[in-house]
Amino acid sequence: MIKVVGVRFRNAGKIYYFDPSDFAIKPGDHVIVETARGVELGTTTLGIREVNEESVFQPLKPVIRIANEKDEETMEKNRQKEKEAYKICREKIRKHNLDMKLVQAEYTFDNNKLLFYFTADGRVDFRELVKDLAAVFRTRIELRQIGVRDETKILGGMGICGRPLCCSSYLSEFVPVSIKMAKEQNLSLNPTKISGMCGRLMCCLKNEQETYEYLNSKLPGVGDTVTTPDGDKGEVSSVSVLRQTVKVIIETKDEKEMKEFSVDELKFKPRKKKEKVKVSAEEMKELSELEDNGGKSKVGGN
């Protein structure tokens, strides 16, 4: 077993393990650590704990120190410098007429590197831009192209549910999301209703997927034949997944009557495979563009 402390470098970012050394580190403490990008200030999210040596990458880098008041001031100055760097970089992008959208400027804690995150539809030749930026800031410059999901994670915002976006509030890594999840949850396949601010399928579709799969497995399919508690046979008209109820059309004396039953009251064969949902060619094209199974963020590679 080995002692570790979990450190995060941005809101809802990935947690990295470091050697706590002899420091008494508590969750919420700011610490100074050395990363692949240089010396950084991070926030402790997991207190000191013991884990198997095989579960961490060796050698484990130690915590340099717990951040002091001077470190906090340095971090605040960096935040102010980043705003100025962002403005200058945008001007340089316009000057070079590059087809790219600047998302964020970020200094490492020790000011040895200045990173610019941007989005673009394709590859961008930014070599001349880097030369201009290096001449202005006189430090190492790195430009990173990120995806639209990463952009939304950085910028944040409010979802259609009225809560802060999942990706910017608690999701440390993107999860694969597919159109199948929307179908399983009986959601409208209208792209405007199942896509997030990033233009991709909403991450929250994953949250209740396992529950819906379990509940759906206990229900008959629409169109299936079931036997009611009275021994009558009928056709399933609709189902309520969360309430676990089934509406059945029963024929009696040349008349049709619809009754609602609890799924536990009915007898039926295992659920049939769902019929393919009819979607127009235009909707299918939009849905295909929304589906994103890559699921990994390129930001924050400490």
Side-chain angles (χ1 to χ4, degrees), residues 53-69:
E53 293 187 31
E54 295 79 16
S55 62
V56 297
F57 292 106
Q58 299 286 357
L60 205 60
K61 293 184 178 179
V63 171
I64 297 174
R65 65 179 180 275
I66 296 177
N68 52 39
E69 189 174 333

Side-chain angles (χ1 to χ4, degrees), residues 22-86:
D22 296 325
F23 297 108
I25 303 172
K26 305 182 298 296
D29 285 349
H30 288 172
V31 293
I32 306 299
V33 295
E34 184 180 353
T35 71
R37 298 196 315 182
V39 177
E40 294 276 26
L41 183 147
T43 303
T44 305
T45 53
L46 297 176
I48 298 174
R49 61 187 59 194
E50 292 188 347
V51 298
N52 292 323
E53 293 187 31
E54 295 79 16
S55 62
V56 297
F57 292 106
Q58 299 286 357
L60 205 60
K61 293 184 178 179
V63 171
I64 297 174
R65 65 179 180 275
I66 296 177
N68 52 39
E69 189 174 333
K70 187 177 180 180
D71 293 326
E72 299 288 354
E73 290 175 0
T74 300
M75 199 64 180
E76 184 56 34
K77 288 179 182 176
N78 285 349
R79 297 289 87 88
Q80 297 303 317
K81 289 166 64 177
E82 287 167 0
K83 294 178 182 178
E84 185 63 26
Y86 179 87

Side-chain angles (χ1 to χ4, degrees), residues 81-269:
K81 289 166 64 177
E82 287 167 0
K83 294 178 182 178
E84 185 63 26
Y86 179 87
K87 293 178 183 177
I88 293 173
C89 186
R90 285 190 64 181
E91 291 173 2
K92 296 294 183 182
I93 290 172
R94 283 195 292 266
K95 174 185 171 184
H96 289 279
N97 196 28
L98 295 174
D99 187 15
M100 56 192 287
K101 177 187 176 184
L102 185 63
V103 177
Q104 184 185 46
E106 180 182 20
Y107 270 102
T108 56
F109 178 76
D110 55 11
N111 279 209
N112 280 341
K113 186 186 289 187
L114 176 56
L115 299 97
F116 294 98
Y117 299 102
F118 71 94
T119 59
D121 291 334
R123 294 178 65 87
V124 179
D125 185 356
F126 47 70
R127 287 174 292 183
E128 293 302 318
L129 174 63
V130 171
K131 290 179 183 177
D132 272 8
L133 294 173
V136 173
F137 298 106
R138 299 191 177 279
T139 188
R140 290 175 60 195
I141 302 293
E142 184 175 327
L143 271 74
R144 289 191 182 182
Q145 185 171 355
I146 60 176
V148 288
R149 298 179 87 187
D150 299 299
E151 176 189 10
T152 306
K153 183 179 180 72
I154 291 173
L155 298 178
M158 302 294 287
I160 58 173
C161 58
R163 296 173 62 88
L165 297 175
C166 300
C167 60
S168 62
S169 57
Y170 73 88
L171 276 184
S172 59
E173 292 187 44
F174 290 116
V175 294
V177 185
S178 67
I179 297 170
K180 179 185 175 184
M181 295 179 182
K183 292 180 181 178
E184 190 79 28
Q185 297 173 37
N186 294 321
L187 298 175
S188 166
L189 293 184
N190 184 336
T192 60
K193 293 184 178 180
I194 58 175
S195 58
M197 289 183 64
C198 60
R200 297 289 188 266
L201 290 173
M202 293 188 294
C203 294
C204 58
L205 291 176
K206 179 71 175 177
N207 293 354
E208 298 176 349
Q209 179 61 14
E210 289 185 9
T211 300
Y212 270 92
E213 286 178 351
Y214 170 71
L215 293 177
N216 277 326
S217 69
K218 298 171 65 178
L219 291 168
V222 174
D224 286 359
T225 300
V226 297
T227 303
T228 68
D230 298 327
D232 298 324
K233 291 188 180 295
E235 182 181 316
V236 176
S237 172
S238 63
V239 297
S240 173
V241 180
L242 298 180
R243 292 173 57 209
Q244 288 288 282
T245 57
V246 181
K247 287 186 178 180
V248 182
I249 298 175
I250 302 171
E251 289 192 23
T252 56
K253 297 180 181 179
D254 299 327
E255 292 184 356
K256 290 185 177 181
E257 182 182 2
M258 183 179 290
K259 293 184 178 181
E260 187 175 65
F261 300 92
S262 168
V263 68
D264 296 329
E265 298 177 302
L266 301 173
K267 294 180 181 179
F268 55 90
K269 292 181 180 178

